[in-house]
Amino acid sequence: NEKEFTKGIILNRPTNLFLDDEDFLDDNGEPYFKTDDKNITCADNNSWRIWFGGDVRGLYADDSEGGTEIVCLHSIQTDLARNVSEEILKNVFTTNYEGARKLIDANEAVSDDFWVFAGYAGWSAGQLEEELNRESWYMISADSETVWNELTDQRDDNTLDPRDAGLKSWSTLMGMLGKQDEARAVSESFADLSLKEWAAESILFNSTLPVVNESDELDDLLKSLSPSISNSIDSAESFVDLAQRYINDGIQGSVLRGSSKDRSPFLLSDQKLHKCSMLVIQDDDVLTVGVLLNHPMTKTYPIPLANGDDVEFPVRYGGS
């Protein structure tokens, strides 16, 4: 925190991205670590789990933005560690990837001793103070034990899903502030669901997550159907038969309901479709057209009658 600039890293956005040493580049765009470099004293190619640290020089920064900046947190207190690091909190140090590699090459650390963050959050002079004053942030008195316990829990939790966007950690810290009721009040709110969709788009990188049981998916789908339809389906095969009949006959005249699953597919890209009701008015080989039913507007449309009077019909938003 300097007079001109304040810099922070987000602690509760772990990704499922793992990078090898050869993935890290120096200022010249060359790998820091090369397996054929005889000057490298550590022959092992380490694997590093990446946390999303912020959108400034973050995971998707290009060369015009200075590329991705790597921040490594650790608690190593050797002389070499102190020489290549900065202490930001008692027993909490930051260094860059090059500094972390020096400690590994000197046999003073292993890659699991570091938490690696891509990018950071930044504020201009006085900006963060203004945000604190209007309670965009709550200040918590942090100690090294709190920081390391939180980061260790995230690292060691094999069930951790990046799509949950660290909301569990946030709720825990809100509890420490005595604001657990506020946290519960907004749990699974539209904002939370939108954040999860952002996480699915931005910090989910591969297929290391547990596979969802297809029968469970089918059960969830059947529950969303009307009773007259769901009662006639007793297996995946009968559901496929029903779907095929819809494909053959078309779905004109059907009513569709936007997904109400925990992870809506529409929250980021098409919010208007989230939990919408849609009537399909055309379905042929060329085009399928639907209109939204549950988005009434304040606007009305006048229809003139033969006696000279007008009848005002409410207008609904039908789609984009």
Side-chain angles (χ1 to χ4, degrees):
N1 186 1
E2 301 174 354
K3 291 183 178 180
E4 299 82 13
F5 185 65
T6 300
K7 180 177 182 180
I9 54 174
I10 300 172
L11 297 178
N12 62 327
R13 299 282 189 268
T15 78
N16 59 346
L17 176 65
F18 288 81
L19 296 180
D20 295 331
D21 284 309
E22 291 183 305
D23 295 317
F24 293 91
L25 306 180
D26 60 22
D27 293 336
N28 298 318
E30 295 293 326
Y32 279 108
F33 179 85
K34 300 177 182 178
T35 54
D36 58 352
D37 190 340
K38 295 180 180 179
N39 294 322
I40 296 295
T41 58
C42 179
D44 294 328
N45 190 16
N46 296 281
S47 180
W48 309 75
R49 184 176 186 172
I50 306 300
W51 269 251
F52 175 86
D55 57 359
V56 182
R57 296 191 62 184
L59 284 165
Y60 304 101
D62 56 28
D63 292 340
S64 66
E65 300 170 284
T68 300
E69 178 171 318
I70 296 296
V71 179
C72 301
L73 285 188
H74 68 88
S75 59
I76 305 164
Q77 301 187 43
T78 64
D79 290 340
L80 176 59
R82 291 184 176 277
N83 287 336
V84 300
S85 307
E86 178 182 359
E87 189 171 21
I88 57 172
L89 189 66
K90 185 179 180 181
N91 300 327
V92 179
F93 300 84
T94 65
T95 187
N96 55 19
Y97 169 77
E98 189 175 12
R101 277 295 320 188
K102 287 180 179 179
L103 292 171
I104 291 176
D105 292 341
N107 294 320
E108 295 186 6
V110 295
S111 60
D112 282 346
D113 291 326
F114 301 93
W115 281 258
V116 183
F117 296 82
Y120 58 88
W123 296 265
S124 59
Q127 183 181 358
L128 180 57
E129 285 75 10
E130 292 178 2
E131 294 180 9
L132 285 166
N133 289 336
R134 62 173 182 260
E135 294 192 338
S136 296
W137 303 91
Y138 294 129
M139 183 75 77
I140 183 171
S141 179
D143 58 77
S144 57
E145 184 177 2
T146 301
V147 173
W148 291 128
N149 285 344
E150 178 56 40
L151 289 174
T152 301
D153 287 345
Q154 293 179 37
R155 183 192 63 188
D156 296 343
D157 185 357
N158 294 326
T159 65
L160 187 143
D161 188 337
R163 295 173 298 178
D164 289 333
L167 288 171
K168 179 181 177 182
S169 299
W170 177 82
S171 296
T172 299
L173 291 176
M174 287 289 281
M176 294 173 62
L177 288 169
K179 296 182 178 295
Q180 55 268 29
D181 290 341
E182 180 179 336
R184 281 195 291 267
V186 298
S187 179
E188 296 303 307
S189 62
F190 186 84
D192 279 4
L193 295 176
S194 297
L195 176 61
K196 289 182 178 183
E197 289 306 304
W198 168 85
E201 290 283 337
S202 303
I203 61 176
L204 183 69
F205 287 91
N206 53 44
S207 57
T208 60
L209 298 176
V211 176
V212 176
N213 188 301
E214 292 184 0
S215 63
D216 292 339
E217 286 279 293
L218 178 61
D219 288 341
D220 291 341
L221 182 56
L222 294 181
K223 291 175 183 177
S224 70
L225 300 174
S226 64
S228 61
I229 295 177
S230 60
N231 291 338
S232 66
I233 301 173
D234 55 10
S235 68
E237 290 76 12
S238 59
F239 178 78
V240 172
D241 290 340
L242 176 65
Q244 189 62 51
R245 289 202 301 274
Y246 270 106
I247 292 172
N248 294 336
D249 300 338
I251 59 173
Q252 182 173 318
S254 299
V255 174
L256 306 180
R257 186 190 71 178
S259 172
S260 58
K261 293 177 69 65
D262 290 341
R263 304 187 189 283
S264 167
F266 304 120
L267 280 172
L268 284 185
S269 58
D270 282 302
Q271 291 92 342
K272 59 185 174 291
L273 300 181
H274 179 68
K275 294 188 177 180
C276 76
S277 297
M278 182 182 296
L279 173 65
V280 180
I281 60 175
Q282 177 183 342
D283 180 45
D284 52 41
D285 293 339
V286 178
L287 186 66
T288 300
V289 178
V291 291
L292 303 179
L293 301 178
N294 59 330
H295 291 320
M297 302 170 62
T298 57
K299 184 178 180 181
T300 60
Y301 185 79
I303 302 293
L305 301 178
N307 62 4
D309 294 335
D310 288 339
V311 175
E312 299 287 338
F313 281 86
V315 177
R316 294 176 180 270
Y317 176 83
S320 56

